[in-house]
Amino acid sequence: MRIYPYSLTPINFHFVQSARDFIVKEIPLYEWSNHGEHLVLQIRKKGLSTPEMIQILCDVLGCRHKEIGYAGLKDKNALTTQFISIPYSLYSKLKESQNILSQKNLKILSIHRHNNKIKIGHLKGNSFFIRLKKVLPQDLEKIYSILEKISTEGMPNYFGYQRFGKFGDNYLKGKKIAHGEKKLRDRSLSDFLISSYQSYLFNQWLSHRIKLCSILKNFSKQEAFRGIKKSLKIELTLDEIENLQGQKTFFKILDGDALHHYPFGKLFFLDKITQEESQRFYLHNIVPCGILDGQKITYPSKLALKFQEDFLDSKIQEAGSYRFAWVFPQRLQYRYIQEKAHLELSFELPKGSYATILLETLANQELSGESDV
């Protein structure tokens, strides 16, 4: 169960993840060089997943999957724009095939030459447009307040429902594979299911940390001492609680945390929290990170490790990594259309972050692809 930071009660609205109400555009990491042996295509797709789009390109252009590069996966139930690289040798075939591609819901918006093939992660982030329906006027004041907090204070970087499959149980299959209780011939599917299990553990850890932060925010030092001991099964000293409550941000940095320069830079570990590091987080210059557990990863230490231990699994043989625990949406704007009871949102998120988590943070409850919440 995911826990959210800014509301004690839920807000209800209707959200449909569709091409009309959910629009995603990739933000490239850098400008294209306009020379080289590759073509970078900016493609708008509708009703297609990224693998389905790649298969269409392979069929139409007569190339192999490994010749096509892409930076990230984009939702099927959305109108999405992303960048794809193909060999320059396919240019003539591409020009001849644009009508065919258009008939298959693929429209090429621009073409540039570039030195290298696009690889996973080669993007700055994504911009989003989302339309919410059945938004009640009496909820607007609270909605605007939460959106302002998200804009200035950030939001949790949970993995969204898309990560866990139609029935939300992919992580259970991944856990069985990691524990040697299940084996699949399809290595790609096996890796995907294990990554779903890693994502589940990350979400559980992040929810645990947000619960800590909620207690620190809403209770006195003495009450927080008792609440943390009872509900989180961890005993902090009164001095530790006082120091944590003194941080300006909702999400608290702990001694021993892994931190990352934001939005780009290096990962580093903080032995003991200082006022300087707390201020850097408050200014959006660094963020705490959580573990996607696996091999060859350095764990946090001290208090941060205490809050991490229950969400580690030494049986995961895949490589581990770190992920932002907290992100700061950029250019967040919103508009209420009273006659339709619609709320339109636009914003940008760093790569790997889910727009639907912003909606969940607003609603204070979990969503699915088509939800009355």
Side-chain angles (χ1 to χ4, degrees):
M1 180 179 176
R2 297 191 280 272
I3 298 176
Y4 307 96
Y6 299 132
S7 178
L8 298 176
T9 57
I11 295 174
N12 299 313
F13 52 75
H14 182 70
F15 167 63
V16 178
Q17 189 168 322
S18 66
R20 173 175 169 77
D21 298 322
F22 192 63
I23 300 173
V24 188
K25 295 181 181 179
E26 276 188 351
I27 305 170
L29 186 59
Y30 41 69
E31 293 185 1
W32 315 118
S33 65
N34 291 320
H35 58 80
E37 297 303 313
H38 297 268
L39 288 176
V40 175
L41 317 178
Q42 186 183 27
I43 299 183
R44 186 171 65 209
K45 64 180 182 65
K46 180 179 179 181
L48 295 168
S49 66
T50 298
E52 288 170 339
M53 175 186 65
I54 291 173
Q55 185 60 57
I56 290 171
L57 289 171
C58 289
D59 293 342
V60 172
L61 301 179
C63 62
R64 294 172 293 176
H65 279 245
K66 67 179 183 180
E67 294 181 279
I68 296 180
Y70 60 96
L73 299 174
K74 293 291 172 288
D75 293 89
K76 179 173 184 175
N77 298 319
L79 183 65
T80 67
T81 301
Q82 67 184 113
F83 294 93
I84 299 293
S85 67
I86 63 173
Y88 179 72
S89 58
L90 295 173
Y91 181 70
S92 296
K93 183 67 173 176
L94 176 70
K95 297 296 286 186
E96 297 170 0
S97 305
Q98 293 206 39
N99 286 338
I100 297 174
L101 293 174
S102 181
Q103 292 169 12
K104 296 180 179 293
N105 290 329
L106 295 178
K107 183 175 179 59
I108 298 175
L109 303 179
S110 68
I111 302 174
H112 297 273
R113 291 185 70 167
H114 194 54
N115 326 61
N116 54 271
K117 177 182 177 181
I118 295 177
K119 296 182 179 179
I120 291 291
H122 279 192
L123 73 160
K124 182 179 179 182
N126 297 284
S127 67
F128 299 90
F129 170 85
I130 293 176
R131 183 180 290 110
L132 306 179
K133 300 177 180 179
K134 300 181 184 179
V135 179
L136 300 179
Q138 57 264 36
D139 290 330
L140 285 179
E141 184 177 351
K142 185 175 182 181
I143 286 172
Y144 293 159
S145 174
I146 294 174
L147 287 173
E148 183 62 27
K149 287 181 179 179
I150 291 172
S151 181
T152 57
E153 300 182 35
M155 68 181 210
N157 195 30
Y158 287 120
F159 286 95
Y161 58 78
Q162 303 92 325
R163 190 72 168 179
F164 303 106
K166 184 176 181 180
F167 301 105
D169 61 352
N170 279 352
Y171 76 93
L172 293 174
K173 301 171 187 175
K175 181 178 180 179
K176 287 184 178 180
I177 295 170
H179 287 207
E181 300 170 7
K182 185 181 182 72
K183 191 169 183 179
L184 300 180
R185 292 183 180 180
D186 187 332
R187 183 54 189 268
S188 295
L189 179 57
S190 179
D191 290 345
F192 173 77
L193 292 173
I194 292 173
S195 73
S196 179
Y197 178 46
Q198 292 172 306
S199 303
Y200 169 80
L201 292 174
F202 175 91
N203 275 8
Q204 294 300 300
W205 164 82
L206 183 52
S207 186
H208 194 62
R209 284 281 293 259
I210 290 176
K211 189 172 185 178
L212 165 69
C213 298
S214 294
I215 293 172
L216 292 169
K217 177 184 177 182
N218 295 308
F219 295 97
S220 69
K221 182 169 62 174
Q222 293 287 350
E223 291 169 333
F225 173 83
R226 293 189 292 270
I228 293 167
K229 183 177 181 180
K230 181 178 179 180
S231 61
L232 301 180
K233 312 303 180 185
I234 292 177
E235 188 167 339
L236 303 185
T237 67
L238 292 177
D239 284 344
E240 286 175 324
I241 291 173
E242 183 176 3
N243 289 335
L244 290 172
Q245 289 179 326
Q247 295 182 29
K248 295 179 181 178
T249 52
F250 170 84
F251 195 84
K252 309 302 182 185
I253 299 175
L254 307 182
D255 288 347
D257 252 336
L259 303 173
H260 200 288
H261 296 277
Y262 186 88
F264 306 109
K266 293 183 178 180
L267 182 78
F268 64 99
F269 293 87
L270 188 66
D271 182 60
K272 186 172 180 60
I273 178 63
T274 65
Q275 186 175 356
E276 178 185 359
E277 299 304 329
S278 176
Q279 181 70 5
R280 290 175 69 194
F281 178 36
Y282 176 74
L283 295 174
H284 306 180
N285 293 327
I286 59 173
V287 292
C289 294
I291 288 177
L292 296 175
D293 196 23
Q295 302 300 306
K296 299 180 180 179
I297 188 169
T298 302
Y299 289 138
S301 61
K302 297 188 173 181
L303 187 56
L305 183 58
K306 285 186 179 181
F307 281 88
Q308 183 73 69
E309 287 173 332
D310 289 342
F311 310 101
L312 300 174
D313 189 337
S314 61
K315 293 185 178 180
I316 299 174
Q317 296 303 307
E318 279 63 21
S321 62
Y322 273 92
R323 171 182 172 86
F324 293 158
W326 204 257
V327 293
F328 301 101
Q330 300 295 308
R331 297 177 176 83
L332 175 58
Q333 297 179 328
Y334 42 90
R335 180 172 72 109
Y336 185 64
I337 304 173
Q338 186 171 357
E339 60 271 21
K340 295 182 179 181
H342 290 179
L343 182 68
E344 296 180 343
L345 304 170
S346 62
F347 53 91
E348 295 177 4
L349 289 174
K351 64 182 180 181
S353 300
Y354 289 77
T356 50
I357 295 301
L358 186 146
L359 302 186
E360 292 187 2
T361 303
L362 175 61
N364 193 36
Q365 55 187 308
E366 294 184 23
L367 311 181
S368 62
E370 183 171 349
S371 297
D372 279 301
V373 301

